[in-house]
Each structure stands twice: as C-alpha cells, then as structure tokens.
Amino acid sequence: MASKLSAPPRTHALLADGTTVSIRPALSDDRARVLRLYQDLSPESLRLRFSTAGLRSARQAAAKACSPARVGYLALVAETGGRVVGIAEYDTAVDSSPEPTCAENALVVADDWHDRGVGTLLVEHLVGAARVAGIRRFTADALAENGVVLQVFNDLGLSASRRLEGTEIHCTLQLEQREGYLAVVEARGRVADVAGMRPLLCPTSIAVVGAGRWTGSAGWAVLDNLQADGFTGSLYAVAPQTDWIGNIPCHPAVEALPGVPDLAVLAVPASAVPEVAEQCGRNGIRAVVVVASGLDAAEANARLAVRAYGMQLVGPSCLGIANADPAVRMDATFAARRPLPDGLSRLGIGASTSVSLGDAYDICGNDLLQWWETDGRITLALLYLESFQSPRAFSRITQRVARAMPVLTVDVGRFEAGRLRPPSQPCPPRNCPRVDASRPPAHGSTSRDARPKTMAPKKDIFRCLKRFIAREVYKYLTSTNIPQKQLPRATCRKAGQR
C-alpha cells in the first residue's frame, strides 16, 4: 500500500566503472549538498530538468527533497566522498485515489558523473522502494531532446510506453519485476562487480603499509614477494621507522606517498587498521588488502571507512592475493612459496589468480567467480571454502560460470578437525552460515568428494585434483609457519594427504 511510510536503508553499490557510491534517503541535513548539485549543473542541464535555466525551481526542488519524510514521497541520493552526485524521487501527488498506485518520477545526475550508471542505479533502488510502498507505475515527463533520461528509462528492463505531447514525451513505467528485468539488473551488477575487482587484481601501483625491516614480519614478506615476482607496476613502502627496505624508499605515512596507488596492503597491527584504512580512503586508494587478524568489534569498523570512501576490501585475516598474468606479475602474499605450485603444474595447470579471502568482510567467492568468468584466460575455477556469504547468489553464479568452465569446490567444514582455523583466521566470517556439506553441489560444479559425472572430458584432471588439492593447500598453509596441529588435517587426509 502506498499509504505506508517506508524508506530503504543506506546501501553501498558499484557503478559501471567499479566506483562505489552510497544510496540512501535524502535527509534534512542534505539540503545544501542537494542545492549544490543543482547549482553545479550547466544551464542546458537545468533547462532539461526544470524547463528553465533559472535556479528558483532548483531551490524549491532541494527544499522538497530534504523536507521531513511524508507518505507518498521519497527522494534517494547517490553520495560519494561527502558529495551528492545524483538524486531520484517519486511523488504520488499525481494519483488522487485513497490508495495511490501511481507516482511521478524525476531524476538528476551531476554533469561530470554521466555515463557511469548513477541514474540507472538510483532508479533501480527507487523502483524497489516504490514496490514495497504499493506503487505499481511510474510516470515522467521529459523534453523530447532529453536523450539521457529517456535512455535511462529505456535501459531499465521494465515495461515502458511513451507518448509525445507537444515538446515533451510522457513516459510510463510498469514496476512489475518480470524475469527480463531481473536478468538486466543482474547483468548490470555483474559488469560493476568485475570493474570493481580491477584495482585489486590488476593494479598499476601498490603500497605496502607496515613493511618492516625484519625478515620475519608479514609486511616485509609481502614486499619481498612483490619484488621477487617482478611486479610490473610501481611499488611504495610505508614504514616510518626506516628510510629504505632493499631498493624501495620508505615513507612515514600514506599521506606522504608521491602518488596514489591503486592497491594498499595493510600489514599493520589490528589496532592500527581503522586509522590506516581511513588514511587510504582520504588519499583516493581504491582497494585494500588487510592481512591483520584478531580485529575486535571497534577495529572492525574499519569496514565503515572502506565503504565510506568506496574502496574494495580483501580480508581481514588473509594471506594476500596474487595474479600471475605477465602484464601484472603480482604476488602480494606473505607466503614462503608460490600459490598452488608443483603439484598442479605437473598436470599442466597453472594458478592464474589466487585470492585468500580471510574473513571476507567485502570481497567473497561470488565476486571471484564473476571475475574469472570474464577473464578470458581461466579454464578451471577452484574454491577452498569455509562458508558462503550468499548461498543463493553462489548457486546462481556457479551454475552460470560452470557453463563456460569446470568449478571445483573444496569444503573444509565437513569434519570436526577441519573446523579448526589457522591463527591467520581466528573466527568465521561475520553473518556467514557454515558451509553445509550435505547440500548437493550446484549443477555444473564438482565438490571434492563428488564424482564428476558431467565432466567426462576432464575426468583425469579431476581425479588428480582430488589427490593433489588438499596436499597443495596443506603445504601452502604450512609455508606460513602455521602450527600443523591447527590445520584441517582430517580434510587433507580424506583427499590423499598423509
């Protein structure tokens, strides 16, 4: 029912270029920011929105958007870095019935944020909120030359109709979410997710924060592995206690770096993670890998800084990430040996990308599957799982990816000994259910103990993988000096490790 007063909570979403924005209802404190959005529009953009280039209508629109919440009206803003870059709103005033099901829709995006998916993302969220409120139809009047807004409505995937009325086009959108609409939304999300992974897996510059002088430190090991692997981009080190680590100059803080790296590896104590994450966000770093473990509730708020600044996060409590692409050559791990070496290489299988998710506060297995799906070089996907962040999404994505490549999952929660966690991962990921070993694998994927009936052309590879994978993971974990008594030994023995 449209009479319900319901506003969606703040959410963070990725744009088509991988940038993160916050989508939330407009508040009274936003009036100055919304007005600034209108004031920064070009005269032509103002005319297309208000049919006049004057600012009077803009002031009235800002006051309306930021007025106290009322039934039948909702304004959502897209915010990044404290700046409002877009606003979408609906108003049921056009429907005089007691229970209105029709609302007028309006949309504005900052001129310098066009063609990045801001408008589409705002309208998608507005459609979801409107349907909850009982609204079934949006209407909008746009000048005939306003091709940008008309294209947004056309690309939504909703049933739409248009009617020319003088110099304006009257658009009607049916908000019923059919299968076609959901498929379009999923495709847009997939493009955004893949774009958001690029600073993580294909960075052009990396900063190691906490790169100590001592060879036993995680920061030193990460920096050493990056150099040894021949990383093709620029390397920076942040270590206030020294000037040089090898041939890499050190800087006292993130703010002192001579450039803005794509990726920062945070090898600092857990207590320092929130402050360092905040510094990374303020300086425009797009992705962080947190190797520290033992974050308490307060320190876990570093996640909020990551989201507020639109950064991608791997970890915490992880071993790092690696990409063997010759154009990247990145081994940003503190492991003493390369990920998944000898055993699989004897089968002619090389590890293209390796990501240790740790507690998976942000990036999860679903994101990796979608990256591998579009990589073009990947022929086999392997996931060593302890939990699912979103089981339904995982099943849906796996079924799609498995049409292009085999997907092998190794679930370590099957045995009691396998539930013992190494020190690098002290607790299960937040809000993530334990992997249910009794659940059958998704169609097209093969569990470690499942017989690969549909993978006949690759049955020899899978037979060898079932012998090798636990042994290789076991050796990889032991190379980081983790006590063997805390490793999932029962799981390893089940797959052939003695």
Side-chain angles (χ1 to χ4, degrees):
M1 295 295 179
S3 59
K4 294 190 296 184
L5 181 60
S6 58
R10 175 194 292 265
T11 185
H12 294 85
L14 290 170
L15 302 179
D17 63 352
T19 304
T20 302
V21 294
S22 171
I23 306 293
R24 59 172 179 80
L27 306 173
S28 57
D29 294 342
D30 293 320
R31 184 168 180 174
R33 285 191 287 266
V34 173
L35 182 58
R36 173 59 61 183
L37 166 67
Y38 289 130
Q39 290 173 337
D40 289 343
L41 294 176
S42 66
E44 178 64 9
S45 296
L46 279 172
R47 186 185 69 84
L48 292 176
R49 168 61 180 91
F50 299 109
S51 300
T52 176
L55 288 174
R56 180 178 179 181
S57 296
R59 295 189 186 95
Q60 294 173 347
K64 178 181 179 181
C66 303
S67 59
R70 61 179 175 85
V71 174
Y73 177 81
L74 177 64
L76 296 180
V77 298
E79 181 185 29
T80 179
R83 178 191 173 192
V84 172
V85 297
I87 183 169
E89 52 193 315
Y90 73 71
D91 193 344
T92 59
V94 295
D95 190 340
S96 57
S97 60
E99 296 290 341
T101 59
C102 178
E104 186 176 23
N105 174 235
L107 172 68
V108 169
V109 175
D111 288 339
D112 56 337
W113 282 75
H114 283 187
D115 301 320
R116 301 172 73 172
V118 177
T120 302
L121 197 61
L122 279 168
V123 176
E124 280 182 6
H125 283 76
L126 198 68
V127 166
R131 294 187 77 253
V132 170
I135 297 170
R136 296 293 174 259
R137 188 170 71 256
F138 275 171
T139 64
D141 294 313
L143 293 175
E145 63 265 38
N146 194 350
V148 174
V149 168
L150 293 174
Q151 189 63 43
V152 169
F153 292 156
N154 187 62
D155 292 343
L156 283 172
L158 295 170
S159 176
S161 61
R162 299 183 181 182
R163 184 176 70 253
L164 181 63
E165 297 179 352
T167 61
E168 294 185 337
I169 294 180
H170 181 77
C171 303
T172 302
L173 296 174
Q174 304 296 331
L175 305 190
E176 181 181 357
Q177 295 185 355
R178 300 179 179 179
E179 184 176 349
Y181 171 73
L182 298 177
V184 170
V185 171
E186 182 179 354
R188 280 195 291 267
R190 186 161 64 248
V191 170
D193 289 340
V194 170
M197 294 285 288
R198 187 162 296 279
L200 277 169
L201 293 177
C202 296
T204 59
S205 54
I206 299 176
V208 180
V209 185
R213 293 174 296 177
W214 311 111
T215 57
S217 69
W220 182 92
V222 170
L223 191 62
D224 184 62
N225 283 343
L226 283 167
Q227 290 182 282
D229 208 44
F231 176 60
T232 58
S234 302
L235 271 180
Y236 305 104
V238 177
Q241 70 275 21
T242 185
D243 296 327
W244 293 84
I245 297 179
N247 60 348
I248 301 294
C250 297
H251 305 274
V254 174
E255 292 92 340
L257 292 173
V260 179
D262 290 333
L263 171 66
V265 181
L266 308 190
V268 298
S271 59
V273 168
E275 179 183 355
V276 176
E278 181 79 18
Q279 293 174 7
C280 291
R282 288 199 304 265
N283 284 271
I285 295 174
R286 297 187 60 190
V288 293
V289 174
V290 179
V291 301
S293 61
L295 273 69
D296 60 24
E299 290 155 357
N301 286 335
R303 201 169 14 174
L304 302 179
V306 168
R307 282 303 193 185
Y309 291 102
M311 295 184 290
Q312 302 295 306
L313 168 66
V314 169
S317 303
C318 72
L319 298 175
I321 61 177
N323 186 351
D325 186 341
V328 182
R329 298 188 62 83
M330 174 186 66
D331 182 3
T333 72
F334 59 89
R337 58 190 302 243
R338 296 178 61 85
L340 296 180
D342 308 328
L344 295 181
S345 65
R346 292 200 295 271
L347 299 173
I349 300 175
S352 175
T353 55
S354 173
V355 179
S356 168
L357 296 174
D359 284 349
Y361 277 4
D362 184 22
I363 299 298
C364 65
N366 299 349
D367 302 305
L368 293 176
L369 280 173
Q370 295 188 118
W371 171 269
W372 292 333
E373 180 186 19
T374 61
D375 185 274
R377 301 174 299 119
I378 309 298
T379 56
L380 171 68
L382 169 66
L383 297 102
Y384 179 84
L385 296 174
E386 292 186 348
S387 59
F388 293 126
Q389 194 173 74
S390 175
R392 288 186 179 179
F394 177 81
S395 178
R396 185 175 65 251
I397 293 170
T398 301
Q399 291 182 46
R400 188 184 70 244
V401 174
R403 299 188 190 107
M405 70 182 76
V407 178
L408 177 67
T409 61
V410 181
D411 50 344
V412 301
R414 187 179 300 265
F415 304 104
E416 201 59 42
R419 297 189 181 101
L420 293 175
R421 300 172 62 87
S424 63
Q425 297 184 21
C427 57
R430 277 64 172 169
N431 302 321
C432 296
R434 172 68 61 185
V435 172
D436 183 0
S438 64
R439 183 188 295 112
H443 174 71
S445 68
T446 303
S447 174
R448 186 201 64 222
D449 294 326
R451 188 182 300 273
K453 298 178 180 179
T454 62
M455 300 296 176
K458 299 183 183 294
K459 62 182 179 181
D460 294 332
I461 290 179
F462 273 96
R463 187 178 298 117
C464 292
L465 280 172
K466 285 191 289 184
R467 292 199 307 266
F468 278 121
I469 188 58
R471 178 164 51 195
E472 293 302 323
V473 170
Y474 187 90
K475 289 191 296 184
Y476 181 47
L477 291 176
T478 54
S479 74
T480 61
N481 298 320
I482 296 170
Q484 293 190 16
K485 65 181 181 179
Q486 297 191 38
L487 290 171
R489 287 178 287 179
T491 301
C492 292
R493 292 196 191 100
K494 182 76 175 180
Q497 170 65 25
R498 295 175 189 238

